[in-house]
Amino acid sequence: MSSPGSRVVVEAPGVHRVEEHTPRQPGPGEALAAVHAVGICGSDREVYQGNRPEGYVRYPLTPGHEWAGTVRAVGAGVPVTLVGRKVVGEGFRNCQVCDRCHAGETTLCTDGYEETGFTQPGAMAATLTLPARLLHVLADDADLTAAALLEPAACVAAAALKAGARPGERVAVVGTGTLGMFAVQFLKAVSPGELLVVGTGRDREALSRGYGATDFRTRDQELPGDFDVVVETAGSASAARTAASLLRRGGRLVLTGIPAPGADGLDPTDLVVRQLEVHTVFGAPPDAWAHTVRVFGAGLLDPLPLVTHELPLTEFSRAIELVGAGDPKVGKVLLRP
């Protein structure tokens, strides 16, 4: 197992080490949290492989942007009452003073991109020091292993808020990964009349139905075309088109996936003639985080069934392999500092 004070450092693409970690004491406005668990997602794999877009990573780097932990110390100007509280933290290090930040759209900060685990030290370490304003406090009895998945959940919460699904509406989710499974849970919470999930295979059908799906189809099956709301989470080349095809005239589409360049675009004629409402989501602003923590606290999100592997920090390279293996038996992989 990793020692009590270790961290992962990715020196450069494909080169990493696990070394002793010395906590950085919090300065004014900062908090230091002991990390309980940290999730690995596709973007962490990009960091390790070196194919994350330029400007969106800075080496050498301690990765880790999906995490939960407990506050151990705070700096000047931060309420001492935070010490001992269970928390999760936003990743985007926004400037707080630009027009977009003042509008609450902190993921669109015009001061440039800075994010925990990509350009700033991340949570694959025994502790993480970050601006205290980014923390969201959890209930004292919160399960921190489950809470480590609240970052991807918050990204989906942003989509659910934009979708504005109302009770009784017919809703659908395209994509059955972690984001898709959270989308099912957020949409289920608003009491839809129907909840369809569309995946590439059937490996997530039972889980989807367990989370509240009333129907499950694969992409190659005949798909209905009269849904009020569709949330797309797959990020594949054809996912946006598939999602749009499910909508009734005047329906609402929210895209969250980021496909590789050259994906099938939406047909502008179709969008206008059917008067479709299209929204997109990039990351999670503070209101989406607050919504996620509230829904999680109310017992309406159950992240644990998504976790299939928990490993010590020393097995970082194995964790990266698992995430990229394409094995349907591999769900969310957590590292435990």
Side-chain angles (χ1 to χ4, degrees), residues 89-103:
E90 297 178 33
F92 284 84
R93 307 289 187 92
N94 45 78
C95 76
Q96 295 274 281
V97 292
C98 74
D99 175 67
R100 289 302 87 206
C101 282
H102 281 308

Side-chain angles (χ1 to χ4, degrees), residues 179-204:
L179 296 181
M181 293 300 95
F182 276 125
V184 173
Q185 295 178 70
F186 277 111
L187 291 172
K188 173 64 178 172
V190 298
S191 303
E194 283 181 54
L195 177 45
L196 167 69
V197 176
V198 179
T200 51
R202 305 208 80 94
D203 50 286
R204 285 279 175 106

Side-chain angles (χ1 to χ4, degrees), residues 173-176 197-204 216-221 223:
V173 174
V174 174
T176 58
V197 176
V198 179
T200 51
R202 305 208 80 94
D203 50 286
R204 285 279 175 106
F216 187 99
R217 312 256 181 121
T218 55
R219 276 190 321 203
D220 51 6
Q221 288 183 281
L223 297 174

